[in-house]
Amino acid sequence: AETVRLARRAHDEGAAVVTFPELGLTGYSCEDLFHQSALLDAAEEALAELRDASRGLAPVLIVGAPVRADGRLFNAAIAVHDGRLLGVVPKSHLPNYREFYEKRQFSAARHAVRDEIALCGERVPFGTDLVFEAAGPVAFTLAIEICEDLWSPVPPATFAALAGATLIANLSASNATIGKGEYRKLLAGSQSGRCLAAYLYAAAGPGESTTDLAWDGHGMIWENGRLLAETPRFSAGGELALADIDVERLLLERQRVTTFADTAADHRDRLRVRRIRFGFDAPSGPLRLRRDIERFPFVPGNPADRDRRCEEAYAIQVQGLEQRLRSSGIGKIVIGISGGLDSTQALIVAARTMDRLGLPRKNILAYTLPGYATSDRTLANARELMRVMGVTAGEIDIRPSCDQMLRDLGHPAAKGAEAYDVTYENVQAGERTSHLFRLANRHGALVLGTGDLSELALGWCTYGVGDHMSHYNVNASVPKTLIRHLIGWVASSGAFGPDASRVLSDILATEISPELVPAPAGSDAGDKPHQRTEEVIGPYELQDFHLYYVTRFGFSPGKVAWLAWNAWNDAARGIWPTGMPENERHAYSLEEIRHWLAVFLRRFFGGSQFKRSCVPNGPKVGSG
């Protein structure tokens, strides 16, 4: 009755697959009562009742019951759908140690002698080689294993996954002991990750005998190593965990991870499965997305992970730069400091690297290079940042050399015209880079790049002799949203002292601008720069979202837009990164998302790859 109740509730919630506990129709802890024909007859009657009750219900129900075949008794999982028994999967590995002695009552799957049995008046496919394929608007392939199968060195559903199953259901009766819950999570999560699959786990709970064991009813849903949903343990009644599984994401990941296909080829003889096909229609009406789509996929969302992830990101950047300095025999760095986010992040990495190498921070030759549109705020922050970091600070006004270049080019701006075109901008970017490289020659140093992953994706950099080029770029794989987060973490930690934290906080609060175009004569821009990067290429928080799902998973633009809308349409919903001020918690309409996604696609695919094809070396920090 409880199984039917939960099945109907799952149907109402729009579920496609529901997994129940091991031997759930009888209870797992019946021990020698499994030898009683009254119990076995009642179990088959209960299964027939459940089958009949499933008519008109959308989800596939995976239930556990003892099944008789060829004079043996099997601990089995039965797939039930819309009034039909789709198939029976017997348990492969029977525990006979510690508190479990299943071999006293049951036979293992390897002892089965036929591939079809009579059950509830039907001829039903039987065996561990069954996979269940849903056909229709919602397509998925389901495999089943039972409890101890997961504890074995090679869980049987591994081969089903290699044969194409994207969902694995585990019916379990794992009891509760101290620490076992976490171990179960480790096993289920790792099986999900190794198989690049979703993993549905349901353990026995209320109603089991507590003669010598306790039961916690632990339910979990995993997707490629990520826990999507979990039931409370030790609940007094039945619980239902619900989550959305992205099957396309799993299939695309399998295409990308070449070792998955290699392993399938190595074990091709074990991958002969029987595919049980059935029709499956999507539930009618709108469905709520049961999945948290993180607004900042590059930023650690769990506050508990924040310190560890930030420290790890810096450690990767520092280790990369340290090895480059060691292998080149160079002990000095030249870096341009703008008072913006990227050069600040690179300077923090440079300072940590010098500390790790046991070299003085004075070996960092930092220069701020003000141009035609440099604001007082960014210039002051650049000067203060260099001071508090204890580096060798320098300042070079690039306007005289830019004037000369513009005159040489015959550019109208050389005669005072407000002709602020791309040539005008790139003359400044080129002069800055040219100065840095010649300073590196002069002092025997390495030019440290500062440009980030987001700028490379959008082509927002000056090619060649510009901010595109350096000897080594520690930020090359770090997106803008993560750089903001890392700097904020350093500021809040006080790692470089209170003065440094103050200037870092002000840099974080400064609007992003290349500061290459001055405001028109007589205009009053206030404290905001005339050039605002995000007005041209889009909000970095949104473009980084697009970047992640386009490059990491290869989703179509339509799906990326749909995910973005679910993540960003309501600022009051979902989790924001730790410490993000209320005034920076934005929302975007579908039309805004469509507009900026079109900008991203045009810039990413339409004209920026030549810049990405020839960038300086740099350490890979994340999955981008």
Side-chain angles (χ1 to χ4, degrees):
E2 182 70 357
T3 301
V4 171
R5 185 186 72 81
L6 287 170
R8 287 173 176 159
R9 180 181 156 199
H11 167 83
D12 293 340
E13 297 280 5
V17 177
V18 190
T19 303
F20 292 91
E22 180 179 12
L23 295 170
L25 295 187
T26 58
Y28 175 83
S29 51
C30 298
E31 298 186 351
D32 282 356
L33 290 177
F34 284 118
H35 292 309
Q36 298 291 316
S37 58
L39 183 146
L40 298 177
D41 291 342
E44 188 166 347
E45 292 169 6
L47 180 60
E49 184 179 341
L50 177 67
R51 176 197 60 190
D52 296 342
S54 73
R55 289 191 177 93
L57 300 183
V60 179
L61 311 178
I62 314 297
V63 298
V67 170
R68 292 169 285 195
D70 297 320
R72 292 181 173 89
L73 186 63
F74 294 91
N75 178 345
I78 303 98
V80 183
H81 181 247
D82 195 17
R84 173 188 168 197
L85 302 183
L86 298 179
V88 178
V89 178
K91 188 172 182 177
S92 295
H93 301 287
L94 304 182
N96 225 50
Y97 60 95
R98 295 195 186 124
E99 58 267 32
F100 298 107
Y101 304 99
E102 284 187 36
K103 289 184 178 181
R104 180 180 172 94
Q105 293 96 27
F106 296 103
S107 295
R110 65 185 65 87
H111 298 300
V113 296
R114 64 180 65 199
D115 57 14
E116 187 179 79
I117 62 171
L119 187 64
C120 299
E122 300 183 38
R123 301 299 300 179
V124 184
F126 179 74
T128 58
D129 59 344
L130 302 181
V131 295
F132 304 91
E133 290 191 344
V138 179
F140 57 87
T141 304
L142 170 71
I144 300 171
E145 59 188 18
I146 303 174
C147 196
E148 185 73 12
D149 292 345
L150 178 61
W151 268 255
S152 70
V154 184
T158 301
F159 298 106
L162 291 170
T166 46
L167 279 67
I168 301 171
N170 186 309
L171 295 75
S172 178
S174 175
N175 66 307
T177 56
I178 294 174
K180 194 170 184 180
E182 287 304 311
Y183 186 61
R184 274 196 301 253
K185 292 175 74 170
L186 177 65
L187 288 175
S190 61
Q191 175 72 339
S192 167
R194 283 194 309 272
C195 291
L196 301 176
Y199 203 85
L200 287 62
Y201 182 95
E208 292 289 355
S209 168
T210 56
T211 298
D212 59 347
L213 298 173
W215 314 86
D216 60 5
H218 195 186
M220 298 177 282
I221 303 174
W222 294 82
E223 180 187 282
N224 193 13
R226 177 190 174 197
L227 183 62
L228 300 182
E230 186 176 15
T231 63
R233 296 173 63 198
F234 302 103
S235 173
E239 295 285 351
L240 194 64
L242 291 157
D244 283 327
I245 292 164
D246 192 336
V247 176
E248 182 191 23
R249 182 172 180 165
L250 295 169
L251 293 173
L252 288 170
E253 193 71 358
R254 288 180 177 182
Q255 291 178 38
R256 187 176 291 108
V257 178
T258 55
T259 50
F260 189 86
D262 289 345
T263 305
D266 290 343
H267 297 277
R268 60 173 61 87
D269 293 340
R270 298 286 303 271
L271 307 187
R272 294 189 177 94
V273 297
R274 285 182 288 160
R275 301 182 184 277
I276 311 300
R277 294 179 170 87
F278 61 98
F280 187 88
D281 293 324
S284 60
L287 291 174
R288 176 173 66 86
L289 186 67
R290 298 181 181 277
R291 188 184 184 97
D292 289 329
I293 307 297
E294 295 182 355
R295 296 177 175 88
F296 298 90
F298 291 107
V299 175
N302 184 353
D305 293 336
R306 179 180 181 235
D307 290 355
R308 180 174 55 83
R309 291 287 182 88
C310 289
E311 190 58 57
E312 188 175 26
Y314 275 114
I316 292 169
Q317 290 182 282
V318 167
Q319 196 276 336
L321 179 56
E322 176 190 3
Q323 183 59 29
R324 179 52 55 99
L325 293 174
R326 287 186 188 277
S327 60
S328 65
I330 296 173
K332 292 183 179 180
I333 290 171
V334 164
I335 181 173
I337 303 299
S338 67
L341 295 171
D342 294 343
S343 62
T344 298
Q345 173 69 7
L347 184 59
I348 293 171
V349 172
R352 284 180 161 225
T353 303
M354 289 300 174
D355 295 347
R356 183 176 169 90
L357 287 168
L359 295 173
R361 291 188 192 171
K362 291 295 182 183
N363 282 22
I364 302 171
L365 312 179
Y367 293 86
T368 186
L369 302 117
Y372 296 126
T374 302
S375 68
D376 292 341
R377 181 177 184 176
T378 56
L379 182 57
N381 278 340
R383 290 167 175 166
E384 179 65 6
L385 181 65
M386 292 186 291
R387 183 190 71 80
V388 297
M389 297 298 287
V391 301
T392 299
E395 185 169 325
I396 300 173
D397 188 340
I398 64 167
R399 286 175 294 184
S401 55
C402 290
D403 291 343
Q404 181 63 52
M405 175 76 76
L406 291 169
R407 285 194 296 270
D408 293 344
L409 296 174
H411 195 278
K415 298 180 180 180
E418 292 186 355
Y420 303 141
D421 57 8
V422 68
T423 304
Y424 180 87
E425 295 187 38
N426 285 350
V427 160
Q428 296 171 78
E431 285 300 324
R432 287 192 172 107
T433 302
S434 179
H435 275 78
L436 293 175
F437 271 97
R438 301 298 73 81
L439 286 164
N441 295 154
R442 177 79 175 81
H443 298 286
L446 177 149
V447 176
L448 190 63
T450 61
D452 65 48
L453 180 68
S454 307
E455 293 177 344
L456 284 171
L458 294 159
W460 192 250
C461 56
T462 301
Y463 183 79
V465 185
D467 53 331
H468 170 262
M469 191 49 58
S470 63
H471 288 127
Y472 194 74
N473 185 3
V474 292
N475 290 341
S477 69
V478 188
K480 187 78 77 177
T481 48
L482 181 54
I483 283 179
R484 289 188 64 93
H485 187 79
L486 290 168
I487 294 173
W489 178 71
V490 171
S492 64
S493 71
F496 291 97
D499 289 345
S501 293
R502 278 193 293 273
V503 69
L504 291 175
S505 297
D506 197 64
I507 289 169
L508 287 169
T510 304
E511 189 165 0
I512 299 170
S513 170
E515 294 195 325
L516 296 172
V517 176
S523 66
D524 181 15
D527 63 348
K528 292 188 176 181
H530 175 62
Q531 261 185 314
R532 296 168 190 153
T533 299
E534 293 176 296
E535 290 182 356
V536 178
I537 62 173
Y540 275 115
E541 58 191 11
L542 199 53
Q543 299 297 43
D544 278 359
F545 184 96
H546 298 150
L547 170 65
Y548 180 81
Y549 285 102
V550 167
T551 60
R552 179 66 179 82
F553 297 105
F555 288 157
S556 67
K559 184 166 182 176
V560 173
W562 179 74
L563 291 170
W565 182 81
N566 276 282
W568 288 98
N569 76 89
D570 184 357
R573 188 164 50 84
I575 299 172
W576 290 89
T578 303
M580 176 163 281
E582 289 287 341
N583 64 331
E584 294 182 13
R585 300 184 177 189
H586 305 134
Y588 298 98
S589 68
L590 182 58
E591 284 309 307
E592 289 174 307
I593 290 167
R594 285 165 54 90
H595 170 75
W596 291 121
L597 178 56
V599 170
F600 175 87
L601 295 171
R602 187 166 58 248
R603 295 188 70 97
F604 183 82
F605 290 106
S608 300
Q609 184 57 40
F610 75 98
K611 295 181 180 181
R612 294 189 291 270
S613 295
C614 54
V615 294
N617 293 161
K620 183 173 182 177
V621 173
S623 60

